[in-house]
Amino acid sequence: MAPIRDQSLTGPHPGLHGHGLRLRPWDAGSGADVDTWLRGLRDPEFRRWNTPLRLVTDRASARESLLARAQSALEGTSVSFRVADARTDAPLGHIGVNEIKYHLKVARVGYWVLPEARGQGVATRALLLTAHWALTELGMHRLELDHAVGHDASCRIAERCGFSYEGTLRGAIFQEERHDAFRDAHLHARLATDPEPTGPRGGRNGSA
């Protein structure tokens, strides 16, 4: 049997479709994609809960960031999707399957939603779609998701998508806007053997 990497990530990924969404790889050669990526990573709500190791501050660093993600996809260590409306192709956000470890069949999921797309169940729908793909076609056994303690919306999204809360990781992620201080994170995980969650229940009751 061919390695999972050869089966799933070699060459351009065709994308994912479902729950009213279209997911495709980000294109570092697209000015529109670079601008969307920059806007998402400079959004105050994103920066409140996430502090990347390499900050994206302008179009040049945004393009460099997307090129790095494309290289990771070629190496089979991650795959990053632009999340868009299936009908209009309007950009809505991002979701990625990161830190893929084929020998353990484990990976980590992360996502963000653009300000104008919040409250529409985008994160829930994207996570359901991507998790199903990763646990079936990509062949993962375990998907992990972590978020800063206090980010209650992420807790709700994770549990809605079948990611059970497993505990608190002490000092596991950077504090807001800092690389010299740390904060706790909640760890959620979903196994391929867990029951499939029910369909998305989007809406405007705090869902992202």
Side-chain angles (χ1 to χ4, degrees), residues 90-110:
L92 304 174
H94 156 80
I95 191 164
V97 181
N98 310 308
E99 301 179 37
I100 300 171
K101 299 175 182 177
Y102 296 95
H103 57 296
L104 293 175
K105 295 188 176 182
V106 63
R108 290 208 163 210
V109 184

Side-chain angles (χ1 to χ4, degrees), residues 8 11 18 25 30 45 61 63 100 133 154 165 178 197 206:
S8 305
S30 164
E45 187 67 9
S61 57
R63 189 180 301 277
I100 300 171
W133 169 76
S154 271
Y165 170 70
R178 296 182 63 176

Side-chain angles (χ1 to χ4, degrees), residues 13-26 33 80-95 122 125-126 129-130:
H13 192 279
L16 305 174
H17 302 266
H19 303 312
L21 302 176
R22 175 177 179 244
L23 277 57
R24 66 157 172 81
W26 291 91
D33 275 18
S80 300
F81 293 113
R82 169 188 180 267
V83 180
D85 182 270
R87 183 176 58 86
T88 66
D89 199 43
L92 304 174
H94 156 80
I95 191 164
V122 171
R125 291 183 282 145
L129 185 61
T130 304

